[in-house]
Amino acid sequence: MKNYNILIIDDEKSQRDILYGYLNKKGYKVFTAESGSQGIKIINENLVDIVFSDFKMPEMTGLEILAKVSQINPEISFVIITAYGTVENAVNAMHLGAYDYISKPVNLDELDLLIARIIEHKNLKSENESLKKQLYEKYKLSSFISQSSKMEEVLSVAVRVADSKATILVTGENGTGKEVLAKSIHFISPRKNNPFIAVNIPALPETLLESELFGHEKGSFTGADKMKKGRFELADKGTIFLDEIGDIPLSIQVKLLRVLQEHQFERVGGTESINIDVRIIAATNHNLENKIKDGSFREDLYYRLNIVGIHIPPLRERKEDILPLIDFFIHRYSQENNRSDIEISKEAIDLLMKYNYPGNVRELENIIERAVVLARTNILATSDLPLTVKGMKFEGQLPEIGKGTLTEQVEALEKRLIFDALQESGGNQTKAGKLLGITERNLRYKLQKYELKN
């Protein structure tokens, strides 16, 4: 119970000292801050489970601190300390995500009960996540793991549109799960027993794309020694997923528009119209309205595709989903690698909650898979996480090897080797030095020289 870290934010030194002394004697690790900005700095640099914050302070109010803490790590329990007469403000804070409030002067017995309740709530939440994970595995309820309000809205739209024939346009950054959502829609739709065909448009050469989508007749071009059905024909009665639709050439957009309008097409080199019943789900990470303006995407095609638009927000905007995704991926990759006893430390969770995930869910999945495979013990620790998650990076980008003068290329290679060694050693400079065949002192000099920060 005492393995919890508590932060007290209050501009009154006497209040901080009283709470610090009491909680420290109880065995908790306690941090104190006299302002909101100082408190946010502590949270960014340390593992914090519970925050007690005064409501009214000169620099930043309790509500403003609550908003920032929720962005950094929504798993932190936030409690407002309020003076007599401002209870209404504290209640408003609870509507905005605070766990509870406690009045000044703080009753220490009441404080004990509140902390015990928070810890019990955290333990119960963990047990509930474990139960949900078992249900996912037993009943295969969904491949889309989420608990944030933003994703609940996305899934709500997906469920409502699944039974229809409406074309869907899914937008979002790379790695957010656009294809996963498309599959989920297909498998809860009346088409679930028919094909789901995924097409990654940029992966197909433009010269072959038309044939891949619509098929071709024998002899229609050099090498067409037999008739071939295209992806649309193969997806008949089912769903076709067109990934990165923004990259489709204008020449093929016309034919795709006809499929959407008339549900028919001709194979390349053919004259016979083929009728199909296909649900089209398209996806893109581009702004198609901008592509319409520059003339690279047809406006009429856009409106045909965007009958129902679903936008998947990036993972950094829905941090409530990080913890259930971590649990899900640990469970999956533990089973795949025969490591059923794998767990994760609070410190590692804290780092993962604070990370911004430019690669979104796909990046988080790769991080967890790597950690499970490489972990030396059954507890995933911070040392098992990539350097990028731990904030270690070069100022700017790693230079590209093979460009520039000889001196620049040698430096580029040296930077890359140092970064890779630190990555392999989990940020341990002694081990990284041994891998590189240099002393730790020499490595520290090079880190400073090349502005590699940890």
Side-chain angles (χ1 to χ4, degrees), residues 8-121:
I8 301 158
I9 306 175
D10 199 312
D11 58 330
E12 293 182 21
K13 185 177 186 302
S14 58
Q15 180 75 16
R16 294 198 308 272
D17 290 345
I18 290 169
L19 294 180
Y20 175 86
Y22 180 76
L23 294 173
N24 190 49
K25 284 182 181 178
K26 287 282 186 176
Y28 298 105
K29 183 174 182 180
V30 186
F31 302 94
T32 63
E34 63 182 1
S35 67
S37 58
Q38 193 180 93
I40 296 301
K41 186 174 186 294
I42 290 171
I43 289 170
N44 277 320
E45 295 176 354
N46 298 276
L47 170 61
V48 174
D49 300 295
I50 305 169
V51 173
F52 287 92
S53 173
D54 191 16
F55 182 84
K56 192 174 182 180
M57 289 182 288
E59 181 200 61
M60 195 184 297
T61 68
L63 289 182
E64 291 171 324
I65 299 169
L66 169 61
K68 290 183 178 294
V69 170
S70 297
Q71 289 175 354
I72 296 168
N73 184 351
E75 294 299 312
I76 295 174
S77 299
F78 196 95
V79 178
I80 289 285
I81 303 174
T82 181
Y84 177 76
T86 58
V87 172
E88 184 180 345
N89 292 330
V91 173
N92 289 336
M94 290 177 66
H95 288 308
L96 295 173
Y99 180 85
D100 208 337
Y101 70 91
I102 191 167
S103 299
K104 283 184 176 181
V106 175
N107 182 302
L108 297 180
D109 290 334
E110 185 182 346
L111 180 67
D112 280 339
L113 290 172
L114 179 54
I115 293 174
R117 190 150 44 89
I118 290 172
I119 292 173
E120 183 181 5
H121 174 77

Side-chain angles (χ1 to χ4, degrees), residues 139 144 224 383 427:
Y139 299 109
F144 222 98
S383 60

Side-chain angles (χ1 to χ4, degrees), residues 197-202 204 209 213 231 240-244:
I197 304 292
V199 184
N200 186 345
I201 289 171
L204 296 170
L209 183 57
L213 289 176
R231 308 287 180 93
I240 189 166
F241 174 64
L242 303 176
D243 198 11
E244 299 307 338

Side-chain angles (χ1 to χ4, degrees), residues 319-337:
K319 287 197 168 185
E320 302 94 323
D321 291 336
I322 294 174
L323 193 55
L325 283 166
I326 290 170
D327 288 340
F328 180 78
F329 292 138
I330 287 177
H331 182 65
R332 170 189 287 178
Y333 292 111
S334 293
Q335 285 197 328
E336 285 188 9
N337 294 281

Side-chain angles (χ1 to χ4, degrees), residues 66 96 119 160 189 278 312 315 436:
L66 169 61
L96 295 173
I119 292 173
R160 281 178 281 156
S189 77
V278 173
I312 304 180
L315 189 56
L436 293 164

Side-chain angles (χ1 to χ4, degrees), residues 184-299:
S184 297
I185 292 171
H186 171 76
F187 286 111
I188 62 172
S189 77
R191 299 171 180 267
K192 62 185 176 184
N193 294 321
N194 296 309
F196 176 88
I197 304 292
V199 184
N200 186 345
I201 289 171
L204 296 170
E206 186 174 337
T207 53
L208 297 177
L209 183 57
E210 185 178 5
S211 171
E212 286 293 326
L213 289 176
F214 304 109
H216 60 255
E217 298 291 350
K218 181 179 179 180
S220 56
F221 54 84
T222 304
D225 53 355
K226 60 182 178 180
M227 185 276 287
K228 177 187 175 182
K229 291 183 178 182
R231 308 287 180 93
F232 272 97
E233 209 168 339
L234 295 173
D236 192 33
K237 302 293 189 298
T239 302
I240 189 166
F241 174 64
L242 303 176
D243 198 11
E244 299 307 338
I245 191 70
D247 292 327
I248 195 166
L250 279 167
S251 59
I252 299 177
Q253 290 180 31
V254 179
K255 201 162 185 176
L256 178 58
L257 183 62
R258 185 185 171 206
V259 173
L260 286 162
Q261 291 175 330
E262 302 174 18
H263 309 289
Q264 61 180 218
F265 62 91
E266 290 87 36
R267 299 190 190 109
V268 175
T271 56
E272 180 185 352
S273 292
I274 298 169
N275 294 304
I276 53 165
D277 173 18
V278 173
R279 177 22 140 14
I280 296 177
I281 303 178
T284 182
N285 66 349
H286 294 296
N287 185 320
L288 293 185
E289 292 177 349
N290 287 343
K291 293 182 79 68
I292 291 170
K293 289 176 183 176
D294 68 24
S296 61
F297 202 87
R298 292 179 62 106
E299 187 174 15

